[in-house]
């Protein structure tokens, strides 16, 4: 039976040196942003803030300089991101492009696509979304039904993508379409495309979540023409490309820091009241957080080494979502403060937001059932 690989990974000196620079920037940039807004972390949307990060060289940090990147290592990027999320910086606008779409184009895109897209993305001026999930199939990508059919000079696309984060604000979608159907091999016949979201025939409808925010979308394609030169990688290789991309999506610090601001607010709230009865439970929560961080850093080390740890990334994503969803429950029990929306103390409002938002944390980036299927398959159990 195969086992998981979580090798110890020590952050290099240049990464730790960067940490101080990022903290100094954030202490000034986030001064006037209240905790309940910062609690949105990587779903927080602020294009002007993204442009500031682009000017600092903190988007596309690992990309080649000829494409607008900065040729720093993945562990430096990890530290920058860790600080951003812990402070509650609004990184949602450039998030997808920096985390995975840029990496995908570097690995599978054409030179024309890289030259056209990456320099603007590194400046925070060009924003991405990902078109994977669909109605009735969720994040089971093998069940993708949106069709791209060949025509002169390109492809005609019909179908619907669902739960597409920030599609209504993005310039491009990296979309997974079915270009061929083999009932005996549903992983075959999938192809990725770079889609300009201003193309005629595309309708984007925002979907409100429990918090009242509307960053999810339904994206409908009706006879949408996508040129041949917008295919990413090779026809039919979409499954391999997508699974490589998902290791970046499922293992980063966003998988255990989405509720971090609530933990810091909880500790502040308990310190204010002088209640020490919760110390042991706080210690357990912090120890759990540190363990998840070690696992996540280990995967960052594997990615930096050019490996594809998709099973380990699935473990971090699953355990991280459990932790992030547990925190609002524990915070409510320990502090005895009711969650509030739109009113109340900073702590009550952060608790209110995360009590509502955390329900979806086990859906984004792959549902719990999908992740556990990947893990079981990797262990040879199915």
């Amino acid at each position: 039976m195969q086992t998981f690989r979580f090798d110890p990974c020590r952050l290099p000196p240049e990464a730790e040196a960067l940490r101080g620079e990022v903290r100094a920037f954030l202490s000034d940039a986030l001064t006037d942003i209240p905790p309940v807004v910062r609690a949105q972390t990587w779903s927080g949307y602020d294009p002007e803030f993204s442009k500031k990060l682009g000017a600092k060289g903190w988007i596309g940090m690992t990309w080649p300089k000829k494409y607008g990147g900065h040729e720093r290592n993945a562990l430096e990027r990890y530290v920058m991101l860790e600080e951003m999320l812990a402070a509650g910086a609004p990184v949602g606008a450039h998030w997808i492009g920096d985390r995975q779409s840029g990496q995908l184009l570097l690995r599978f895109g054409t030179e024309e696509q890289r030259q056209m897209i990456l320099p603007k993305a590194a400046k925070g001026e060009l924003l991405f979304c990902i078109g994977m999930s669909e109605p009735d199939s969720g994040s089971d990508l093998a069940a993708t039904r949106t069709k791209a059919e060949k025509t002169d000079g390109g492809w005609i696309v019909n179908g619907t993508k669902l739960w597409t984060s920030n599609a209504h604000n993005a310039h491009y979608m990296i979309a997974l379409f079915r270009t061929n159907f083999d009932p005996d091999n549903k992983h075959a016949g999938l192809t990725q495309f770079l889609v300009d979201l201003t193309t005629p025939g595309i309708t984007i409808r925002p979907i409100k979540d429990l918090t009242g925010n509307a960053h999810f979308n339904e994206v409908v394609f009706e006879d949408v023409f996508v040129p041949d030169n917008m295919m990413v990688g090779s026809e039919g290789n979409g499954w391999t490309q997508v699974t490589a991309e998902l290791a970046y999506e499922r293992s980063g610090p966003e998988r255990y820091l989405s509720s971090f601001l609530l933990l810091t607010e909880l500790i502040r709230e308990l310190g204010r009241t002088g209640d020490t009865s919760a110390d042991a439970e706080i210690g357990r929560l912090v120890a759990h957080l540190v363990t998840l961080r070690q696992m996540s850093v280990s995967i960052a080390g594997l990615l930096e080494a050019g490996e594809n740890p998709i099973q380990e990334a699935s473990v971090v994503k699953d355990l991280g979502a459990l932790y992030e969803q547990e925190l609002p429950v524990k915070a409510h029990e320990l502090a005895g403060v009711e969650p509030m929306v739109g009113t109340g103390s900073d702590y009550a409002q952060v608790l209110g937001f995360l009590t509502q938002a955390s329900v979806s944390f086990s859906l984004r980036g792959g549902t719990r059932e999908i992740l556990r299927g990947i893990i079981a398959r990797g262990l040879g159990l199915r």
Side-chain angles (χ1 to χ4, degrees), residues 369-381:
E369 290 77 11
I370 290 293
L371 295 171
R372 293 180 180 179
I374 292 171
I375 295 166
R377 192 177 300 114
L379 293 175
L381 300 176

Side-chain angles (χ1 to χ4, degrees), residues 104-174:
L104 182 84
L105 292 177
L106 284 171
R107 187 168 178 182
F108 299 108
T110 65
E111 184 63 19
E112 177 190 7
Q113 291 167 352
R114 295 170 188 155
Q115 294 284 357
M116 177 177 70
I117 297 292
L118 296 181
K120 291 181 181 177
K123 292 180 181 177
E125 297 173 352
L126 195 151
L127 310 177
F128 283 92
C129 64
I130 298 175
M132 292 189 186
S133 298
E134 296 192 0
D136 303 322
S137 61
S139 50
D140 179 8
L141 301 183
T144 293
R145 292 180 298 178
T146 299
K147 283 184 182 177
E149 297 177 289
K150 194 73 184 78
T151 187
D152 290 342
W155 302 77
I156 298 295
V157 179
N158 283 284
T160 301
K161 295 294 180 182
L162 197 60
W163 311 120
T164 309
S165 298
N166 284 326
H168 58 312
N169 294 314
H171 301 99
Y172 283 92
M173 171 188 286
I174 300 284

Side-chain angles (χ1 to χ4, degrees), residues 236-307:
N237 196 42
W239 179 261
T240 300
Q241 296 176 197
V242 164
T243 52
E245 183 182 353
L246 290 177
Y248 290 96
E249 183 180 0
R250 291 174 174 166
S251 62
E254 69 270 26
R255 296 308 175 191
Y256 59 88
L257 289 177
S258 299
S259 300
F260 179 73
L261 209 70
L262 178 58
L263 180 60
T264 60
E265 290 294 325
L266 171 63
I267 293 171
R268 186 175 291 115
E269 178 74 10
L270 293 173
R272 185 183 64 78
T273 62
D275 182 1
T276 60
S277 63
D279 286 1
E281 185 60 24
I282 293 294
R284 187 190 69 81
L285 291 171
V286 171
H288 196 163
L289 180 72
V290 170
T291 302
L292 285 167
R293 179 179 183 273
Q294 289 290 87
M295 297 169 72
S296 175
V297 171
S298 173
I299 293 174
L302 293 173
L303 291 171
E304 173 69 6
E307 300 190 35

Side-chain angles (χ1 to χ4, degrees), residues 5 14 31 36 48 115 124 136 139 170 189 195-196 220 269 275 287 300 315 349 367:
R5 182 181 172 191
E14 62 268 24
T31 299
V36 69
E48 293 307 313
Q115 294 284 357
D136 303 322
S139 50
V195 180
D196 181 343
V220 179
E269 178 74 10
D275 182 1
V315 172
Q349 290 191 58
T367 64

Side-chain angles (χ1 to χ4, degrees), residues 319-338:
L319 295 178
L322 287 169
Y323 177 76
E324 292 177 328
Q325 290 178 328
E326 180 193 21
L327 264 175
V329 177
K330 287 296 179 184
H332 189 206
E333 291 175 1
L334 295 174
V337 175
E338 291 300 317

